[in-house]
Amino acid sequence: QCWYLNNFICSLYTYEQINKVTKKIPIGFIAKKDNLSSVPDFYICWRGTITGSEWVSDGDFYKTTCSFLKNGEKVHKGFQNVYTGGDDDLGDSPQKVVLDYLNSINTTTPNYNLFVTGHSLGAALAVLNICDIVVNTPIKNAKMYNFAGPRVGNAAFATTFEKYIGTNCCNTNSLSNCCSWRVVNINDEV
């Protein structure tokens, strides 16, 4: 459930079960910036790996069919499980919280700028998130900046991403008005 407190909208959580106790762990947030002379900016921000369970998810790099795309795209299984909540029914997934919030503001705030960002694991989640948003919602003007992002999907996923969002540039096709920038350290072994 999201709420509005100054410019902070809500936290995004993953859930881990440790010794039969479910722990709620923040993995990102949604924020808003009001602009006096133009439409507001909304930000979806994802953090990198912190917990042991997230390290396990990072290592679960086998490709699986993307649960929210329909053209045979395959994605990193661990990243998708973090984003969608996987098969666990421990709480609302980050995916559900983001999409529910965006759907709720589309009626009251039809025009806004949307920025999605993340670092490391968060960069992978940002890639999944922006692709999900642009392909599966009416929002076609999102922009993504990710930092130290690992590879997320197979060639079919990359084709879908490039078709709807573009890569390291603004998209020039008629499907959307999206931009994507990926910032990497060329010496980063990951």
Side-chain angles (χ1 to χ4, degrees):
Q1 193 77 354
C2 290
W3 63 93
Y4 185 76
L5 177 62
N6 294 329
N7 292 337
F8 177 80
I9 304 295
C10 70
S11 291
L12 305 170
Y13 294 97
T14 61
Y15 297 85
E16 294 182 5
Q17 193 141 32
I18 301 170
N19 298 327
K20 298 183 182 181
V21 174
T22 301
K23 287 186 72 176
K24 188 174 172 179
I25 301 163
I27 196 158
F29 63 90
I30 302 172
K32 177 184 180 188
K33 177 185 174 202
D34 289 312
N35 297 311
L36 297 178
S37 61
S38 65
V39 298
D41 296 336
F42 286 90
Y43 301 89
I44 302 169
C45 305
W46 302 93
R47 69 157 171 79
T49 304
I50 292 178
T51 71
S53 176
E54 290 164 0
W55 280 107
V56 170
S57 292
D58 290 349
D60 193 0
F61 53 81
Y62 296 101
K63 300 292 185 267
T64 188
T65 300
C66 185
S67 63
F68 54 85
L69 298 175
K70 304 300 178 219
N71 293 313
E73 297 90 345
K74 292 191 180 279
V75 295
H76 182 288
K77 184 177 180 184
F79 299 155
Q80 177 170 263
N81 283 343
V82 172
Y83 177 62
T84 64
D87 297 329
D88 300 328
D89 189 20
L90 300 174
D92 283 344
S93 70
Q95 176 191 32
K96 180 179 179 351
V97 173
V98 168
L99 295 180
D100 286 353
Y101 180 73
L102 292 177
N103 286 330
S104 77
I105 65 170
N106 273 340
T107 56
T108 59
T109 313
N111 296 313
Y112 56 88
N113 299 310
L114 179 63
F115 298 92
V116 181
T117 190
H119 170 259
S120 191
L121 167 62
L125 298 175
V127 167
L128 292 172
N129 188 210
I130 194 170
C131 198
D132 192 10
I133 290 167
V134 173
V135 172
N136 296 314
T137 75
I139 301 163
K140 306 298 181 216
N141 65 339
K143 301 194 177 19
M144 183 190 66
Y145 296 86
N146 79 35
F147 302 89
R151 187 172 300 174
V152 174
N154 67 357
F157 178 83
T159 298
T160 298
F161 187 90
E162 191 169 323
K163 176 180 176 182
Y164 285 92
I165 293 108
T167 55
N168 291 327
C169 62
C170 289
N171 197 350
T172 57
N173 72 34
S174 61
L175 295 174
S176 65
N177 184 25
C178 296
C179 296
S180 165
W181 289 271
R182 182 172 183 246
V183 180
V184 297
N185 174 352
I186 200 161
N187 296 317
D188 185 344
E189 292 180 12
V190 175

